[in-house]
Amino acid sequence: MFGLAALAAFACATALPAPSLRFEARPTLAAAPGGGVLWSASVPCDDPPAMVGARVFFALDFDLDGAPDAADTLGVSPADCGSDEGDGSRVALRRALRPAHAALLRALIVDPAGAPADSHFALTAGAGSILSISSYCARPKNGEPEWIEIRNNAAFAAPTAKLRLEGRAFGGAFPGALEPGGVITTGADTAELRIWRPGARLVALSSWPNLRNSADTLRLSLAGGLVLDSVIYPVGGAWPREACVSLESEEAAASAHGYALTLPSPARWRPRDAGFVIDVRAPVSGRYDLRVYDLDGRPLCALARNAIGPVAYALPQASCPDLGARRGPVILHLDPREGPGVRRTLAILP
């Protein structure tokens, strides 16, 4: 368990340069046997004496308030260099954690003197598992202002102080925390928005990001940069063209047009595994793109361009050669020519 000094160091830690004690590449999360998550990382054996007495501290933060709600620790030892867990040049680290709810996981390397050396954070579940963008209005009705709706999907109240929407902080209109199941609607002018969204809980941002009608990404993140959820709508504009509806309504509209996107459950793919099939349902004459994005909205590749009709895509795909080298969540976006899009989150495991 954490001591008070370690807790204080953990809360203040940021990723500090440390040539000897560092996470090599980005640590990963995968499903653990019996439930929970399996955290995996490696530490280079550049300086074995510096590893004597070093430890990795873990903290699970369920409510995003920055304080650890559950903690664990793992030793780092030069004796593991060249063992079955390493290859002589690095130490392989693994820890199975069993959070009862989706959480923010922080891992911190502490050197033998107790000073932080390197840190890492990730979500134990997929994008949107704690806080999500549930609706948005990027191309509103005549006279209606733009807005974005945020929902708390977690079992804990989530403080708003560290939340950022497109990098903008929440204003003083909503101090405190968003209760489980709670919903807030953000906009530039809450007085005007109240006419269009009567009864909604309205929150002004420090500045409004001015959403594009076409090809934009909406990101909900923490102040440190971790993306909690994102919505991507490609060239062609937000759907429908002159109305504002929830993402669930958009998916229902896509289904009514004959489009659907189905992934295996759970939606986790290991590049070395075969048989992972992405099913696209589409009309026999319907044309669409199937693109892959990261959570920041950057396009990674396209599984299909201007495709027609229903197709089953098996990963890996020659059209996405770099996808197997990624780790963590990506977004699959089915973009029909004549209807709304459908998105799915896919976790890429090591």
Side-chain angles (χ1 to χ4, degrees), residues 197-220:
R197 301 277 289 171
R201 191 186 315 185
L202 304 178
V203 181
L205 294 181
S206 55
S207 63
W208 186 249
N210 292 324
L211 312 183
R212 297 188 185 99
N213 288 346
S214 176
D216 208 350
T217 303
L218 317 178
R219 305 171 192 83
L220 177 65

Side-chain angles (χ1 to χ4, degrees), residues 136-153:
Y136 66 99
C137 193
R139 194 167 184 170
K141 301 174 184 177
N142 293 333
E144 182 178 0
E146 297 175 338
W147 51 264
I148 300 173
E149 184 183 88
I150 299 168
R151 183 182 304 276
N152 183 3
N153 302 313

Side-chain angles (χ1 to χ4, degrees), residues 71-324:
D72 198 0
T73 182
L74 177 66
V76 181
S77 171
D80 293 325
C81 295
S83 70
D84 292 340
E85 291 294 320
D87 64 1
S89 63
R90 60 186 59 84
V91 173
L93 303 174
R94 294 181 180 86
R95 176 64 88 205
L97 304 163
R98 288 175 171 79
H101 306 278
L104 176 64
L105 168 66
R106 301 180 187 269
L108 170 69
I109 300 180
V110 176
D111 68 19
D118 195 11
S119 63
H120 167 71
F121 54 89
L123 290 171
T124 62
S129 58
I130 300 178
L131 292 168
S132 67
I133 298 173
S134 53
S135 304
Y136 66 99
C137 193
R139 194 167 184 170
K141 301 174 184 177
N142 293 333
E144 182 178 0
E146 297 175 338
W147 51 264
I148 300 173
E149 184 183 88
I150 299 168
R151 183 182 304 276
N152 183 3
N153 302 313
F156 300 86
T160 61
K162 296 182 180 180
L163 290 182
R164 301 292 183 266
L165 190 58
E166 281 301 279
R168 276 77 166 184
F170 288 79
F174 189 72
L178 182 62
E179 71 278 4
V183 176
I184 55 176
T185 301
T186 64
D189 187 341
T190 55
E192 182 184 3
L193 189 56
R194 193 169 301 282
I195 300 172
W196 296 87
R197 301 277 289 171
R201 191 186 315 185
L202 304 178
V203 181
L205 294 181
S206 55
S207 63
W208 186 249
N210 292 324
L211 312 183
R212 297 188 185 99
N213 288 346
S214 176
D216 208 350
T217 303
L218 317 178
R219 305 171 192 83
L220 177 65
S221 62
L222 292 178
L226 178 69
V227 179
L228 299 172
D229 193 24
S230 63
V231 170
I232 300 160
Y233 53 92
V235 174
W239 183 275
R241 297 294 185 262
E242 294 296 338
C244 298
V245 295
S246 69
L247 300 179
E248 292 80 4
S249 297
E250 287 185 345
E251 185 156 332
S255 179
H257 281 78
Y259 291 94
L261 181 60
T262 304
L263 277 65
S265 181
R268 301 187 180 101
W269 173 58
R270 287 184 176 86
R272 64 179 180 270
D273 294 342
F276 190 94
V277 176
I278 299 169
D279 282 313
V280 173
R281 191 185 78 197
V284 293
S285 60
R287 293 184 177 272
Y288 59 88
D289 295 336
L290 179 58
R291 300 181 181 275
V292 185
Y293 298 85
D294 66 12
L295 290 185
D296 284 320
R298 290 186 290 262
L300 302 178
C301 63
L303 293 173
R305 290 186 177 91
N306 205 29
I308 302 176
V311 180
Y313 297 92
L315 295 180
Q317 276 276 321
S319 59
C320 289
D322 298 331
L323 196 59

